[in-house]
Amino acid sequence: MDSDILVSRTRTITTAQGATGYLRIDLAALGRNYRKLVSMLTPVRAGAVVKADAYGLGAERVASTLYGEGCRHFFVAQFVEAVRLRPTLANDAQIFVLNGLQPGNEIACAERGIVPVLNSLAQWRQWSATARMLKRCLPAVLQFDTGMSRLGFPREERAELAAALGDGSNVEILFIMSHLASADDMESDQNGEQCAEMSCIADEFPGFDLSFANSGAVFLGDAYHGVLARPGIALYGGAPNAGANNPMEPVVSLTVAVVQTRTVPAGTKVGYGGAYVTQREMRLATIAAGYADGLPRSLGDRGAVYFNGTRLPIVGRVSMDSVTVDVSALPEGALTLGSLVEVLGPSQTLEDIARDAGTISYEILTGLGDRYDRQYR
Ligand SMILES: *Cc1c(COP(=O)(O)O)cnc(C)c1O
């Protein structure tokens, strides 16, 4: 036991002193974001989407925090994520596998009390055969495709499904659901179209509870709420609706250490391919995060990091483990070996960096690597 303590202390000391990047995850802010969504949804319940390791933030820490806030419905994408998360959560929490029931997982799924989201008749038959074999009633969720052509029962399978349900079975349907393709765009016609299709489905499958809204749809109004919402990105501080003000609180901040500085004359090539050539004397700093740490290569010559609010443009290509930035705007000597610059924080939001990288906040979050020292507050 003593040696355990020693090991963990040593680890803390070495990472805290020597880390080249600090990823801070504010669990209190996560809790406030959840409460904000709950207050917008009440009496509709708010679940939480914690797939892809809770969008890169750590599914166990995130799910435990949200459980503490009263969340009891947790959505992952893959069966393996549900298996990993199951021991963290008490039995009154349910874990749903959005990508559906994969052949070979049926027994393990049933035995671990994981709830599959059934997306097709084939999956429905497999799950009900499993229930018969185990001589048990097994829970499931039914997902319908309302216009995304990604997952869920297609329209052609609905009649047969309705008949199968009518025949009585040993599968207990907890609720039915669908997913919106364009909920982040409040102006999109697709929202109304999918909502109309969902009401047809509700008529064809009367008596079932409905889950529809992701983060964006929480802000589209009651028609989209069903009885259980499934927010993801908004919990983690991402903007639920593109172009609108972000009502959520930031959860993640990232600072990265300077590993070298130099001053170079005009005409100096910087980085791989010599793709950037200085036009004037320039002070440069190389910081210890690259595309392997989740800074997309598309940030090359486009993105920036910040120091005390001053923008430091990325020059040249993003390397695997580092990027080089122009620090000429800072007083000489402001940055030295070990100084920390801001990648995500008060000067640069997730949306800012995603825009510069030509991507979305989701991809930035889920890409954040595991070489940072992660600090949960
Ligand atoms: C990822 C996902 C969500 C969460 O979406 P956000 O836009 O992050 O809120 C909800 N439902 C389904 C089916 C999903 O795949």
Side-chain angles (χ1 to χ4, degrees):
M1 198 185 149
D2 276 357
S3 68
D4 277 351
I5 291 168
L6 201 64
V7 167
S8 61
R9 279 204 188 130
T10 316
R11 224 176 255 148
T12 311
I13 290 163
T14 48
T15 56
Q17 288 181 342
T20 43
Y22 296 89
L23 184 64
R24 294 197 174 80
I25 297 161
D26 186 343
L27 296 173
L30 170 75
R32 285 191 293 274
N33 283 341
Y34 181 76
R35 268 178 267 155
K36 183 184 181 79
L37 296 175
V38 166
S39 74
M40 293 186 59
L41 288 163
T42 305
V44 170
R45 300 201 60 179
V49 178
V50 294
K51 61 193 179 190
D53 203 24
Y55 293 38
L57 305 192
E60 294 184 6
R61 302 298 294 264
V62 163
S64 308
T65 302
L66 295 176
Y67 184 91
E69 296 290 343
C71 184
R72 294 294 178 270
H73 301 83
F74 295 87
F75 295 85
V76 295
Q78 320 280 24
F79 178 66
V80 65
E81 299 180 292
V83 171
R84 287 188 196 133
L85 187 58
R86 191 60 272 184
T88 306
L89 293 169
N91 283 339
D92 63 339
Q94 283 172 315
I95 304 178
F96 306 94
V97 180
L98 292 167
N99 273 3
L101 187 67
Q102 205 64 17
N105 287 343
E106 298 88 350
I107 303 284
C109 199
E111 282 175 351
R112 289 164 194 266
I114 291 164
V115 183
V117 172
L118 304 179
N119 289 317
S120 65
L121 279 172
Q123 292 181 7
W124 158 266
R125 290 191 198 103
Q126 268 315 106
W127 196 231
S128 96
T130 307
R132 271 196 306 279
M133 196 184 76
L134 297 176
K135 299 191 170 54
R136 274 171 58 192
C137 183
L138 292 176
V141 170
L142 301 177
Q143 174 162 228
F144 292 92
D145 178 27
T146 51
M148 200 172 175
S149 311
R150 184 179 76 167
L151 288 169
F153 286 86
R155 187 181 286 160
E156 313 82 77
E157 293 192 345
R158 289 201 318 237
E160 198 177 326
L161 174 66
L165 290 179
D167 284 349
S169 93
N170 39 10
V171 175
E172 184 199 358
I173 308 302
L174 302 181
F175 54 89
I176 65 176
M177 61 170 277
S178 189
H179 189 47
L180 290 152
S182 302
D184 58 320
D185 176 5
M186 298 177 114
E187 306 298 316
S188 170
D189 291 341
Q190 208 180 359
N191 295 324
E193 289 162 16
Q194 288 193 260
C195 203
E197 185 67 6
M198 195 70 237
S199 356
C200 291
I201 294 166
D203 290 343
E204 290 169 39
F205 296 85
F208 290 114
D209 283 343
L210 187 65
S211 173
F212 203 20
N214 63 345
S215 298
V218 172
F219 297 84
L220 291 180
D222 293 355
Y224 293 85
H225 291 173
V227 303
L228 173 69
R230 306 184 310 273
I233 194 73
L235 293 170
Y236 312 119
N241 304 101
N245 265 347
N246 185 358
M248 311 315 295
E249 213 181 306
V251 172
V252 179
S253 66
L254 175 62
T255 53
V256 173
V258 171
V259 286
Q260 189 156 26
T261 57
R262 72 183 75 238
T263 302
V264 298
T268 306
K269 296 187 175 83
V270 181
Y272 277 117
Y276 184 90
V277 182
T278 57
Q279 299 295 302
R280 52 181 165 80
E281 183 180 278
M282 201 177 256
R283 272 181 287 119
L284 299 174
T286 298
I287 67 162
Y291 59 78
D293 305 289
L295 304 188
R297 274 189 92 239
S298 53
L299 287 175
D301 283 333
R302 289 174 55 94
V305 299
Y306 286 79
F307 185 73
N308 288 339
T310 301
R311 186 170 190 275
L312 311 174
I314 293 175
V315 290
R317 293 186 189 158
V318 173
S319 294
M320 183 188 290
D321 316 292
S322 63
V323 292
T324 301
V325 299
D326 174 9
V327 301
S328 307
L330 295 175
E332 201 159 352
L335 292 183
T336 54
L337 183 61
S339 302
L340 294 173
V341 299
E342 174 193 329
V343 176
L344 287 170
S347 299
Q348 177 155 262
T349 65
L350 270 174
E351 279 70 32
D352 293 334
I353 198 166
R355 187 198 51 237
D356 284 349
T359 183
I360 53 175
S361 55
Y362 302 66
E363 195 176 21
I364 298 294
L365 277 184
T366 56
L368 293 172
D370 62 5
R371 295 196 284 189
Y372 303 121
D373 184 49
R374 284 178 176 237
Q375 302 177 343
Y376 289 91
R377 285 200 299 156

